[in-house]
Amino acid sequence: QKEVEQDPGPLSVPEGAIVSLNCTYSNSAFQYFMWYRQYSRKGPELLMYTYSSGNKEDGRFTAQVDKSSKYISLFIRDSQPSDSATYLCAMSGWSAGNMLTFGGGTRLMVKP
Amino acid sequence: DSGVTQTPKHLITATGQRVTLRCSPRSGDLSVYWYQQSLDQGLQFLIHYYNGEERAKGNILERFSAQQFPDLHSELNLSSLELGDSALYFCASSVAGGEQETQYFGPGTRLLVL
């Protein structure tokens, strides 16, 4: 079983929809949680960064972390065709090593 | 643009060959990380260098090696290449290498082994 599980999708939604992306993880040492967006044939770019449990909002994006359930989410409001990409959750922690451990990525398609 | 540069963008080579991938971190960043992204394994950490010294190793094959030079650029050397080494190779950088730091990714090198 992988340390970080993520539904690969693809997830297809109409423009304007609310999108929910999720990851579960097994290593309780993870403390820092990130969401990266990756367009086709490009490098991952950081979208959201959260430390420990809680919510964080940035524009149309909201990240949630529930450490007790080992579950993280990314919500995208008013989704746009330009949001079509692969979304990767990633996490790290001191006792888990400084490297990022990624989920497999969810491919999102927002249709106009 | 993350500020991390990687060359070359694309590389096509044959099995058994050796290639070198190059990465320049963002200005001021001392840490460089290498990741491999393949369809079946996803994005996996290979190795981390901080200010010229190896800090951590992940799922890196013995045929692969890396180094970070005094000017902080890094090279990933892949030898005795196999078909399964075909993948996207990303370099990322961060300021110092702490687990809480944001890692900024380069555009990647796409390697195709024929």
Side-chain angles (χ1 to χ4, degrees), chain B residues 67-89:
Chain B
Q67 57 185 133
Q68 186 179 27
F69 295 87
D71 68 352
L72 301 176
H73 91 273
S74 178
E75 293 181 357
L76 179 68
N77 300 295
L78 315 177
S79 61
S80 302
L81 285 167
E82 301 175 359
L83 295 177
D85 297 328
S86 297
L88 266 169
Y89 291 85

Side-chain angles (χ1 to χ4, degrees), chain B residues 8-80:
Chain B
K9 285 187 178 179
H10 304 278
L11 205 46
I12 301 175
T13 188
T15 54
Q17 295 299 304
R18 172 190 168 97
V19 297
T20 298
L21 313 183
R22 182 187 171 106
C23 167
S24 292
R26 294 186 323 152
S27 176
D29 284 358
L30 299 178
S31 268
V32 169
Y33 309 79
W34 286 96
Y35 291 85
Q36 179 192 58
Q37 187 174 40
S38 61
L39 281 174
D40 55 343
Q41 294 293 323
L43 197 56
Q44 289 204 312
F45 167 73
L46 294 178
I47 198 163
H48 170 206
Y49 274 83
Y50 169 74
N51 203 22
E53 293 188 4
E54 182 186 302
R55 276 293 176 90
K57 270 187 173 179
N59 298 320
I60 188 166
L61 300 171
E62 286 193 12
R63 301 183 284 108
F64 295 1
S65 65
Q67 57 185 133
Q68 186 179 27
F69 295 87
D71 68 352
L72 301 176
H73 91 273
S74 178
E75 293 181 357
L76 179 68
N77 300 295
L78 315 177
S79 61
S80 302

Side-chain angles (χ1 to χ4, degrees), chain A residues 15-101:
Chain A
E15 183 175 353
I18 296 175
V19 175
S20 172
L21 305 168
N22 311 292
C23 287
T24 58
Y25 63 95
S26 57
N27 190 341
S28 57
F30 290 136
Q31 297 175 288
Y32 303 95
F33 303 91
M34 289 135 272
W35 286 94
Y36 281 83
R37 178 174 62 194
Q38 186 176 22
Y39 291 112
S40 182
R41 298 174 178 268
K42 303 287 186 184
E45 58 174 320
L46 182 68
L47 266 181
M48 299 290 284
Y49 176 104
T50 312
Y51 168 64
S52 195
S53 285
N55 294 357
K56 184 173 182 180
E57 189 174 319
D58 184 2
R60 297 185 294 110
F61 299 91
T62 299
Q64 288 185 351
V65 174
D66 182 350
K67 288 191 70 178
S68 62
S69 302
K70 296 189 177 67
Y71 187 87
I72 71 170
S73 301
L74 177 71
F75 297 95
I76 307 174
R77 291 183 297 281
D78 188 24
S79 55
Q80 302 295 308
S82 58
D83 295 327
S84 298
T86 295
Y87 289 80
L88 299 151
C89 62
M91 34 200 92
S92 65
W94 178 77
S95 56
N98 294 353
M99 75 288 288
L100 294 177
T101 301

